[in-house]
Amino acid sequence: MAYKAVTIKAGKGGFGGPLTLVPTDTRNKVVSITGGGIHPIAAKIAEMTGCPAVDGFSTGVPDNEIMVAIVDCGGTARCGVYPKKRIFTVNVLPVGQTGPLARFITEDIYVSAVDESCISYADASAAAPKPSAGTPTNPATAPKTKAQAKEEIAKMNEGKEKNLATRIGIAIGGIVNKFYAAGRETIDITVKTILPFMAFVSMILGIISASGAGDVIANTISPIASTLPGMLIVSFICAIPFISPVLGPGAVIAQVVGTLLGVQIGLGNIPPQYALPALFAIDAQVGCDFIPVGMSLGEAEPETIELGVPAILYSRVITGPIAVLIAYVFSIGLYS
Amino acid sequence: METIAAFANGFMDLFRAGSETFIAWVTGIIPLVVIMMTAVNSLIKLIGEDRVNNVAEFATKYTVTRYTILPVLAVIFLCNPMCYTFGRFVEEKHKPAFYDAAVSFVHPVTGLFPHANGGELFVYMGIAAGITQLGLSLGDLAVRYFIVGVIVILIRGIVTDRIYAHMSSKK
């Protein structure tokens, strides 16, 4: 096969890399998971390596055939899912170690802010000894030393009977450790995800309110969001099958719109009981960008994913407005 | 000179409004969310995944529980995005519907359990901020959001299941 290895480095403001991709006979698919279609970066990598590019949104690919996944993830899910599976991941957006799976996003498996200038042919010497699993060390020696280390630890523990006090101590230590780990996880997600989002939305809100654009929004959004037909239309638009995957990523749009609506509710332009149906109206597209990845996390077969994507997208057109109706019924008696 | 100073003041005002919002959020939302998230995260670690898995296996058997209890447990215990891995308990033909149900719950859950989707809190919290500003309590909205969420994911699961079955029978 005339496969060629390429090296991909991080672009401006990017993180991770450089990654060297070496296609093999089984692991040779360039999978583009960018809300439908082949991203130009995926096409470029495919062209340079001689590998096929696959639209991961409409075609399911088994994990062991993916040489590299191209994502356009804003920082919640996709950018972490593939690194967690130890699949090379190229993010076209400048996103570093963020999201709930941030700890799996490491420099040896992930590279971001990639544009075409970041991709170059790998020189033969760098590429040759590198296995597709992505570990630059020689695989024959690494496990051996690990086994030796294990043996040594086992030897050290030999002949040490644990008494009751020690066991209670260990149990308490384990529980305390769990609390501590929970705290660390929480602070991690607060610093890496919640605070940056607050910073960016409060900046936008500030500019909107100080510049006077707020009045324009109040005059256009409020009348729509304070009637049932208006909200049904919003949910229908969000659920249109070719729009919903584009609106999805990171729920950023739903979050910004939610915040804008919150401001209008606070000002009294939208009655508070409409908060409940509005929550569903602006969210009919939830997760539509993530369908193939989400299903593959549930170990679905590629054929299931292929049919499942349109099934879910069509279903949303029906269930999006239904959700608003149910929420409307449940909002009766709320804050009145 | 005065015009320049006025321009500079106007420029700063543009960001001052934003900084006030930011302070209100950091002091008003973060402390409570941090403590809640830590508490629930600890609880989940103490209960352990094995016990949740047992319940999950039972819940896949019936249509109603498959699109209510299973996704709710998955989202609360595994959080977004690992909750979708519960799809492995579900039969192949129900996997698209399960994903649809689970992903549709990652926002309704945040009213009561913000830990489950810390990265996307503002779908709910953005709107909730307006309710707080009016001096109304959030409990009622959070509970109703959760209940309607469960009803919606059940309907979504069933509808997607039908559509998928129809499409795969045609092929």
Side-chain angles (χ1 to χ4, degrees):
Chain A
M1 285 289 196
Y3 292 136
K4 284 206 173 78
V6 294
T7 298
I8 303 172
K9 60 182 173 60
K12 288 193 181 68
F15 169 86
L19 306 180
T20 302
L21 306 178
V22 185
T24 64
D25 284 342
T26 50
R27 196 178 270 273
N28 59 14
K29 303 268 191 324
V30 178
V31 181
S32 181
I33 304 119
T34 46
I38 305 283
H39 193 277
I41 294 297
K44 173 88 174 170
I45 295 172
E47 180 202 315
M48 287 176 69
T49 53
C51 296
V54 182
D55 176 3
F57 202 74
S58 56
T59 320
V61 180
D63 287 347
N64 59 9
E65 291 178 17
I66 301 175
M67 177 184 72
V68 59
I70 317 297
V71 300
D72 60 347
C73 173
T76 303
R78 266 173 295 176
C79 61
V81 167
Y82 289 100
K84 183 170 190 296
K85 296 183 187 179
R86 298 300 293 169
I87 292 170
F88 283 126
T89 306
V90 170
N91 196 345
V92 296
L93 299 176
V95 170
Q97 291 172 296
T98 61
L101 301 176
R103 64 183 179 282
F104 298 107
I105 300 175
T106 51
E107 290 172 1
D108 61 330
I109 200 83
Y110 176 89
V111 61
S112 69
V114 171
D115 60 29
E116 295 198 3
S117 66
C118 301
I119 309 165
S120 57
Y121 286 110
D123 55 69
S125 61
K130 203 154 186 176
S132 59
T135 39
T137 47
N138 189 347
T141 58
K144 196 179 159 193
T145 52
K146 229 182 202 173
Q148 280 172 346
K150 239 183 199 170
E151 232 169 62
E152 278 168 25
I153 290 169
K155 259 183 204 163
M156 275 157 64
N157 284 343
E158 247 171 45
K160 277 187 192 168
E161 280 280 314
K162 285 178 190 138
N163 63 28
L164 187 67
T166 321
R167 265 188 257 155
I168 292 174
I170 289 172
I172 292 175
I175 292 171
V176 171
N177 259 334
K178 279 177 182 164
F179 284 131
Y180 181 58
R184 197 170 42 204
E185 260 173 40
T186 306
I187 294 301
D188 243 27
I189 199 163
T190 309
V191 171
K192 286 187 177 157
T193 318
I194 301 179
L195 275 173
F197 190 83
M198 283 182 167
F200 124 78
V201 178
S202 43
M203 180 199 72
I204 292 177
L205 280 183
I207 291 176
I208 287 175
S209 67
S211 66
D215 300 335
V216 181
I217 293 170
N219 292 335
T220 48
I221 291 186
S222 303
I224 299 172
S226 48
T227 63
L228 180 59
M231 275 191 291
L232 288 174
I233 292 169
V234 171
S235 69
F236 177 75
I237 293 172
C238 291
I240 296 173
F242 58 88
I243 294 182
S244 52
V246 186
L247 289 179
V252 171
I253 292 176
Q255 293 188 91
V256 171
V257 175
T259 312
L260 289 175
L261 285 180
V263 172
Q264 297 306 324
I265 291 173
L267 292 173
N269 294 332
I270 300 172
Q273 67 268 29
Y274 280 92
L276 189 59
L279 281 166
F280 288 92
I282 62 173
D283 214 16
Q285 77 283 4
V286 57
C288 281
D289 59 311
F290 194 66
I291 301 170
V293 191
M295 278 202 279
S296 74
L297 283 173
E299 293 166 19
E301 300 291 330
E303 300 81 55
T304 315
I305 296 175
E306 228 161 277
L307 270 183
V309 172
I312 292 173
L313 292 181
Y314 295 148
S315 160
R316 290 299 173 87
V317 181
I318 304 167
T319 58
I322 288 179
V324 175
L325 276 178
I326 296 171
Y328 183 77
V329 171
F330 270 78
S331 73
I332 294 170
L334 181 67
Y335 302 128
S336 61
Chain B
M1 194 65 202
E2 267 175 38
T3 7
I4 298 172
F7 177 77
N9 278 335
F11 189 69
M12 289 307 292
D13 279 343
L14 207 56
F15 302 114
R16 204 157 284 139
S19 77
E20 278 161 22
T21 313
F22 187 67
I23 290 173
W25 283 348
V26 170
T27 56
I29 295 177
I30 286 188
L32 183 65
V33 169
V34 163
I35 301 304
M36 269 177 84
M37 279 169 77
T38 309
V40 181
N41 278 339
S42 323
L43 189 70
I44 290 167
K45 284 177 198 297
L46 290 177
I47 292 174
E49 240 178 77
D50 294 342
R51 274 174 221 148
V52 180
N53 289 353
N54 292 341
V55 181
E57 256 168 52
F58 171 79
T60 54
K61 287 181 195 156
Y62 311 99
T63 309
V64 172
T65 52
R66 186 165 59 237
Y67 303 127
T68 52
I69 293 175
L70 188 63
V72 170
L73 277 182
V75 171
I76 290 179
F77 282 92
L78 299 186
C79 311
N80 183 28
M82 292 322 288
C83 53
Y84 313 120
T85 57
F86 262 30
R88 70 180 185 273
F89 295 122
V90 179
E91 271 181 75
E92 193 66 32
K93 62 180 176 182
H94 297 312
K95 280 182 181 177
F98 170 76
Y99 168 77
D100 202 7
V103 80
S104 297
F105 201 65
V106 298
H107 296 141
V109 76
T110 52
L112 295 176
F113 299 100
H115 75 282
N117 197 3
E120 300 174 357
L121 287 179
F122 271 82
V123 178
Y124 169 76
M125 291 217 168
I127 286 185
I131 302 289
T132 313
Q133 208 178 330
L134 291 175
L136 300 167
S137 75
L138 285 179
D140 210 1
L141 179 64
V143 171
R144 287 181 198 228
Y145 192 25
F146 193 91
I147 295 171
V148 177
V150 174
I151 298 172
V152 167
I153 62 172
L154 173 61
I155 294 173
R156 213 159 256 180
I158 293 171
V159 171
T160 305
D161 219 9
R162 288 277 162 82
I163 294 177
Y164 179 75
H166 180 72
M167 286 172 70
S168 53
S169 70
K170 263 189 176 172
K171 211 176 179 184

